[in-house]
Amino acid sequence: MGSYVVSTREEQEQMLKTMGYTGFQDLFSGIPEEIKLNRDLNIPPGCSEMEVLRRMEELANENKVFRHIFRGAGAYHHYIPSAVNQISQKEEFLTAYTPYQAEISQGILQSIFEYQTMICELTGMDVSNASVYDGATAAAEAAAMCRDRKRTKIVVSAAVNPQVIRTIQTYCFGNGSEVLIVPEKSGETDLQALEAAMTEDACCFYVQQPNYYGILENYGDMEKIVHKSGAMLIMGCNPIALAVLKTPGEYGADVAVGDGQPLGLPLGFGGPYQGFMTVRSSMARKLPGRIVGETTDEKGNRAFVLTLQAREQHIRREKAGSNICSNQALCTLRAAIYMAVMGSRGMEEAARQCTAKAHYLQQELEKTGYELKYQKPFFHEFVTRTPVPAEKALNYLEKQGILGGLPLSDREILWCTTEMNTRAEMDKLTAFLKEVRE
């Protein structure tokens, strides 16, 4: 990287002299000798740009990219309109993301404002922030937001994504909060156990819609139990499913969160993604991160500003309600473009295709001996029992260029379909599974 540094060795020495130092060793004289490295870094010699590019291509070719994907569990293979890539890659958007100077950041501020508006419409909630790092972070931040002095216990359904549970537990380990997992019963949250868990020290209950097994639970009964106890209801949502399902706002949720990955973000070997957070207006001042608002300038023209951002997140450290000080601006921009390009009809059609294809695949798998484990309503994911070891079936599919479902145990697989899966693909999948069994 030395050739990319704008200052020459002579210029660096002149800067040191101007500051009153005789050299680099003098500049670092305040650092104790025992913690200095005092040797060269153990890294290979530098390469030319062409050599680096060739090596990176060799490494990239070791990745296995599947054309046929039947796995979800929190990250989903959806169609992304070309306009999303084309617009989001315009150089005026690929700039520093921190819009502190509103007068020169109107474009990025407006994109965040439009994103917030559409996310609120999608979830049926009143206020959205400018996003957080991913869906699991959004869930953990939401749980922390609901805590107060008297209520510190966080209750979580066992039927949510295990990665989300672990993230909430990590947050709570740091702030000393108790996390209570409500067991699942036949793939759904045990309502009797939930009622017993909602004691006077419980601040919130987190549940997923649809849940980790793809099931649509009885969220209305949960809302009654949670609010009767005086706690808050947090719903983790699949944003594509919200195009056809009842919204968290309609269920009476206090907070709605989720991962925005299905909204125009490719799988990308795990990221980057973005988490959305929406709340009722009464909780707006507790919402972590940034909120962009609309106002007028001195000439009366429409303008955008950072409306709310709790400074305590920057300066109070462990005493702050949250330490989130940033947002996923480029990922959020893609989500906003995706929702605008697809529109309500396009998102609804994508959601309908997801669920229709999932039900078709489930019926075809049933004929092959892959029985549905939970006889419950599901969106676009479902769990089957397997007539052969799950690893054997999935390995065979992988050899055929198909990424099968996620193994939950030696004899259970969580399958997923999206609008990207064709009927021919699904028929091919079931044919291969039949071969494995035979």
Side-chain angles (χ1 to χ4, degrees):
M1 290 299 292
S3 61
Y4 292 96
V5 178
V6 293
S7 58
T8 65
R9 186 73 179 186
E10 291 75 18
E11 289 172 330
Q12 293 170 5
E13 290 175 353
Q14 181 61 42
M15 285 188 281
L16 289 168
K17 184 177 180 181
T18 301
M19 291 186 292
Y21 295 107
T22 57
F24 283 104
Q25 291 300 320
D26 189 19
L27 175 64
F28 300 128
S29 60
I31 301 174
E33 287 296 323
E34 60 269 22
I35 66 172
K36 289 182 181 178
L37 189 62
N38 291 320
R39 61 173 174 80
D40 292 334
L41 291 173
N42 184 22
I43 57 176
C47 301
S48 68
E49 181 177 338
M50 185 170 62
E51 290 171 321
V52 171
L53 182 60
R54 184 180 296 122
R55 177 58 179 152
M56 296 300 289
E57 289 174 345
E58 290 173 355
L59 292 173
N61 287 333
E62 294 180 16
N63 293 325
K64 185 158 187 176
V65 180
F66 292 92
R67 288 182 57 82
H68 312 293
I69 299 174
F70 291 90
R71 183 173 299 186
Y76 303 98
H77 182 48
H78 287 286
Y79 176 72
I80 301 174
S82 298
V84 176
N85 292 328
Q86 192 68 26
I87 298 172
S88 65
Q89 290 174 8
K90 292 174 72 68
E91 64 180 18
E92 51 265 46
F93 290 124
L94 296 174
T95 58
Y97 64 82
T98 306
Y100 287 130
Q101 291 179 277
E103 62 273 20
I104 61 171
S105 303
Q106 286 298 292
I108 194 64
L109 286 168
Q110 181 174 358
S111 72
I112 294 173
F113 179 82
E114 303 294 355
Y115 157 82
Q116 291 173 176
T117 302
M118 288 184 279
I119 285 291
C120 285
E121 291 177 354
L122 198 60
T123 58
M125 305 298 279
D126 300 322
V127 184
S128 166
N129 67 9
S131 79
V132 293
Y133 305 127
D134 54 34
T137 303
E141 286 286 338
M145 179 176 62
C146 293
R147 294 172 66 246
D148 60 32
R149 291 182 181 180
K150 294 182 179 180
R151 292 178 175 266
T152 59
K153 183 173 72 176
I154 293 165
V155 184
V156 181
S157 169
V160 308
N161 191 315
Q163 295 178 344
V164 173
I165 294 176
R166 288 197 291 271
T167 304
I168 292 173
Q169 289 172 330
T170 299
Y171 263 64
C172 293
F173 172 79
N175 60 32
S177 299
E178 177 190 359
V179 179
L180 179 63
I181 308 298
V182 177
E184 55 97 354
K185 186 177 181 181
S186 300
E188 296 181 279
T189 308
D190 187 332
L191 294 183
Q192 287 186 334
L194 172 62
E195 198 161 9
M198 300 311 298
T199 52
E200 60 182 11
D201 61 339
C203 66
C204 64
F205 171 61
Y206 177 81
V207 68
Q208 195 171 298
Q209 175 204 34
N211 72 18
Y212 185 59
Y213 308 114
I215 296 171
L216 299 169
E217 300 194 47
N218 190 340
Y219 304 105
D221 284 353
M222 293 182 197
E223 183 271 332
K224 293 174 184 176
I225 293 170
V226 173
H227 285 157
K228 183 180 178 181
S229 72
M232 305 249 184
L233 176 61
I234 306 171
M235 292 186 71
C237 311
N238 179 322
I240 298 297
L242 289 178
V244 292
L245 297 179
K246 197 173 178 179
T247 68
E250 290 172 315
Y251 276 116
D254 301 286
V255 187
V257 300
D259 204 305
Q261 180 273 325
L263 302 175
L265 296 174
L267 291 172
F269 293 94
Y273 298 157
Q274 63 99 343
F276 62 85
M277 294 186 71
T278 59
V279 298
R280 297 197 176 279
S281 55
S282 59
M283 298 184 69
R285 291 190 173 275
K286 290 186 176 182
L287 193 60
R290 300 189 173 110
I291 300 176
V292 173
E294 182 181 2
T295 184
T296 55
D297 63 16
E298 61 181 7
K299 296 180 181 179
N301 298 318
R302 187 187 189 208
F304 302 92
V305 293
L306 283 175
T307 303
L308 288 174
Q309 183 180 31
R311 297 302 297 179
E312 67 165 23
Q313 294 171 193
H314 298 267
I315 61 178
R316 296 188 66 201
R317 297 175 67 85
E318 70 277 359
K319 293 181 181 180
S322 168
N323 295 122
I324 290 283
C325 303
S326 184
N327 63 283
Q328 296 287 81
L330 185 57
C331 295
T332 299
L333 173 68
R334 289 181 64 91
I337 297 169
Y338 175 88
M339 288 186 284
V341 169
M342 293 288 285
S344 58
R345 291 184 181 178
M347 290 186 64
E348 182 178 336
E349 177 61 24
R352 291 190 183 282
Q353 287 199 29
C354 285
T355 191
K357 291 179 178 184
H359 285 77
Y360 173 80
L361 178 62
Q362 183 271 313
Q363 292 167 5
E364 294 302 304
L365 287 174
E366 192 94 35
K367 298 174 185 176
T368 318
Y370 287 74
E371 298 177 353
L372 185 65
K373 181 178 180 181
Y374 305 114
Q375 299 294 330
K376 308 282 177 67
F378 62 88
F379 176 60
H380 74 337
E381 292 180 273
F382 56 93
V383 179
T384 65
R385 297 185 177 90
T386 64
V388 298
E391 185 177 358
K392 180 180 179 181
L394 295 173
N395 286 343
Y396 188 78
L397 291 177
E398 185 174 333
K399 291 177 183 178
Q400 315 305 321
I402 298 174
L403 179 63
L406 180 72
L408 299 183
S409 70
D410 184 50
R411 292 284 179 168
E412 294 177 353
I413 296 177
L414 174 65
W415 302 93
C416 175
T417 65
T418 69
E419 74 278 14
M420 296 291 283
N421 299 114
T422 65
R423 182 166 181 165
E425 277 184 337
M426 293 185 279
D427 290 343
K428 187 182 295 186
L429 169 74
T430 52
F432 285 139
L433 290 176
K434 188 176 181 181
E435 289 178 12
V436 175
R437 187 176 184 184
E438 293 174 349

